[in-house]
Amino acid sequence: CTVFAVGMALERNKEACRAMVRAGWEVASHGYRWWDYQHVDEETEREHIQRTVQIHKDLIGFRPVGMYQGKPNVNTRKFVVEEGGFLYDSDSYSDDLPYWTMDYGTKKKPHLIIPYTLSENDMRFAIPNGFSHGGEFSKYLKDSLRCLVEEGKRGSPKMMSVGLHCRLVGRPGRAAGLEEFLDYAKSFGDDVWICRRDEIAKHWYKHHYPEGYGNAPDVSGLGIAMRSNM
C-alpha cells in the first residue's frame, strides 16, 4: 500500500504517521496543502515541497521518495526533479506502465513517472454516473484486473493502480466490495504482484533504466531507513 499524504495532515495526525509506518506502507508526498497549485507562485510551491519533505523526515523517520501533488501546474514536475530526492512522481494518468522523462533538471537525467488512475478509483462514488454501491466497484476492479492478467499472459504485462479514500470506500457497504476485490486479486498468486509504488520504482530502476544514461543508480535502500525504530 502507498499512502499519498498531505504534509499538514501528517503534522496534525502523528499517531496515524506511526501506524502507517508500523503497517509497512509507503508514505509518499501529496504536497503540503490540499490546494489546486495551478496558480500558486513558484516560490510558494518550492517551499511547500521542501517543507513536506522535512515533515516526513521528522514524523515518518525518512524522506518521501514519491510525489503525487494531485493538482499540479506546469512547473510542478520541474520542482520535484530539481529537489533531487524523489524516485518518481505520479502526476500522470497517461499509461498502464511506468515511463521515463528526460525533460527536467539541469543534467536532464531520467526521471520516473508511475501513472495514477482516476478510473479504478473510489472517487467515482462521488460523481454522477459513478459507482452506486460496493458491488459495482468490486466488479469493475475485478474485470479490470482479469483483463490485464490475460494481457500479461500473452506477453504484455501491465500495472493496475487502485485509488482509495477512507471517507469514500471506508463506508461499510463499500468496504465489503473492496474486500471482495482484494480476495480476488490474491487468488491469482504469483501472477499478480501486490506492492507499493516505491517497490515498482525500484524494480523499474533496476530492470528498465533507459539506455544512454550510464548505469542505473542503486536505489534499493531508499525509503526504508529508520522504519524499524518507529
Side-chain angles (χ1 to χ4, degrees):
C1 176
T2 291
V3 178
F4 294 136
V6 173
M8 182 177 284
L10 292 177
E11 289 180 310
R12 296 179 177 183
N13 296 274
K14 295 180 181 179
E15 179 54 36
C17 298
R18 292 188 286 269
M20 289 186 289
V21 173
R22 288 195 298 266
W25 298 349
E26 176 196 6
V27 185
S29 176
H30 206 1
Y32 179 64
R33 299 291 302 274
W34 181 232
W35 284 357
D36 185 343
Y37 279 84
Q38 184 65 36
H39 301 296
V40 173
D41 63 89
E42 293 190 14
E43 182 180 356
T44 299
E45 187 173 17
R46 287 181 188 275
E47 192 275 329
H48 278 197
I49 291 172
Q50 294 169 358
R51 188 188 303 188
T52 198
V53 167
Q54 189 59 51
I55 290 168
H56 278 248
K57 291 179 180 179
D58 293 341
L59 299 181
I60 304 298
F62 45 92
R63 62 154 298 131
V65 297
M67 163 65 89
Y68 174 60
Q69 191 80 292
K71 298 179 180 180
N73 59 54
V74 296
N75 294 313
T76 300
R77 180 163 291 136
K78 178 181 72 172
F79 297 158
V80 169
V81 174
E82 290 176 354
E83 193 278 334
F86 289 100
L87 293 183
Y88 72 91
D89 79 73
S90 289
D91 280 307
S92 170
Y93 310 95
S94 62
D95 210 320
D96 291 320
L97 286 173
Y99 60 94
W100 300 93
T101 178
M102 278 66 78
D103 295 335
Y104 302 90
T106 56
K107 297 181 179 180
K108 305 296 183 183
K109 66 178 181 179
H111 173 69
L112 183 63
I113 301 170
I114 303 180
Y116 190 43
T117 180
L118 298 179
S119 175
E120 292 77 21
N121 194 309
D122 66 0
M123 285 298 296
R124 293 182 60 196
F125 281 117
I127 63 173
N129 301 315
F131 303 123
S132 60
H133 56 81
E136 288 184 351
F137 185 48
S138 177
K139 185 179 188 314
Y140 186 78
L141 296 181
K142 289 164 69 176
D143 287 347
S144 299
L145 181 60
R146 181 173 61 252
C147 179
L148 293 176
V149 169
E150 290 172 355
E151 285 188 7
K153 290 180 178 179
R154 293 194 295 269
S156 184
K158 296 292 190 295
M159 177 185 74
M160 177 177 170
S161 297
V162 179
L164 305 171
H165 304 78
C166 295
R167 67 186 186 278
L168 295 172
V169 79
R171 304 302 300 170
R174 297 168 179 172
L178 174 61
E179 182 179 23
E180 181 181 328
F181 167 70
L182 291 174
D183 289 340
Y184 179 75
K186 289 187 288 186
S187 74
F188 283 93
D190 291 341
D191 286 340
V192 172
W193 181 31
I194 302 173
C195 62
R196 304 184 308 267
R197 297 176 92 76
D198 62 337
E199 292 176 306
I200 296 172
K202 292 172 184 178
H203 175 87
W204 227 252
Y205 271 84
K206 183 176 181 179
H207 298 286
H208 302 285
Y209 199 71
E211 295 182 0
Y213 291 89
N215 295 326
D218 181 7
V219 300
S220 58
L222 297 181
I224 60 174
M226 296 177 65
R227 175 173 293 156
S228 61
N229 296 329
M230 295 296 287

